[in-house]
Each structure stands twice: as structure tokens, then as C-alpha cells.
Amino acid sequence: MIAPFLLIISLGLLIYGALVTGGIYVPIRSKILIEDEGRAAWCKVEGFTKILWGLDLAVFAMYYEKIFLPTLCLVIFLGLTLYTIYITYKNNEKYLK
């Protein structure tokens, strides 16, 4: 029951991440908080992290439904979650001063 909802959110994050990475959409907070010269670089990494969150939710949905090797999906989910949090932290530390 929850897996289709997770997949819809995952698809939304993938699309949102692609728009931010490509520079088609710039989040309002980056317009306010980040200087013009660093905004494009911040958006590339921010969009990439949104894409990773989308993939992460898709892997979690696979784990939840036990579609493909649930233990492997759980390990990938946890590893990808930690990696995405780390990238987000480093990106914000670099550009949000």
C-alpha cells in the first residue's frame, strides 16, 4: 500500500532534481541565501542530491515490497541515505555561509 506512494514521491524527486541540476528551476532559498557566483555550482550538487533521494526512496520501496533481495536493498538504502546526507551537508557548508 505504501510502495506506490513512495514511487510517486521518488519520481517527483527525480524530476525536481533534474530540473535543478539543469538550471531550469532555481529554488527560492538559493536565490536568497547564496551569492550569484556560487549559485550554479550549488544547484548542480543540490539537484544531484535530490536525484539520489529519489533513487533512495525507490530502493526503499523495493525493500518494503521485498521485490528483489530485501537485505541487499536495505544495505543500499542505508548506504545511499548516509552518502546523500553527507553530500548535502558538505554542499550547504560550502555555499551557505
Side-chain angles (χ1 to χ4, degrees):
M1 182 79 164
I2 197 168
F5 181 69
L6 290 174
L7 291 175
I8 290 169
I9 293 172
S10 173
L11 181 63
L13 284 170
L14 290 171
I15 293 169
Y16 178 76
L19 291 174
V20 172
T21 301
I24 297 170
Y25 174 74
V26 179
I28 294 172
R29 70 181 170 146
S30 69
K31 290 179 182 178
I32 296 169
L33 298 173
I34 300 173
E35 298 173 8
D36 292 337
E37 59 271 357
R39 192 175 301 139
W42 181 85
C43 282
K44 284 186 190 285
V45 176
E46 181 70 12
F48 180 68
T49 60
K50 296 301 183 213
I51 291 170
L52 288 179
W53 281 122
L55 292 174
D56 200 33
L57 280 178
V59 170
F60 182 70
M62 288 179 14
Y63 163 74
Y64 185 79
E65 291 293 322
K66 297 178 180 23
I67 294 173
F68 176 76
L69 299 172
T71 306
L72 179 63
C73 287
L74 181 62
V75 169
I76 292 171
F77 167 73
L78 293 175
L80 194 56
T81 298
L82 292 174
Y83 179 67
T84 306
I85 291 169
Y86 175 76
I87 289 175
T88 302
Y89 173 76
K90 285 300 192 182
N91 189 41
N92 289 338
E93 182 181 54
K94 184 175 180 181
Y95 294 106
L96 296 175
K97 294 182 180 179

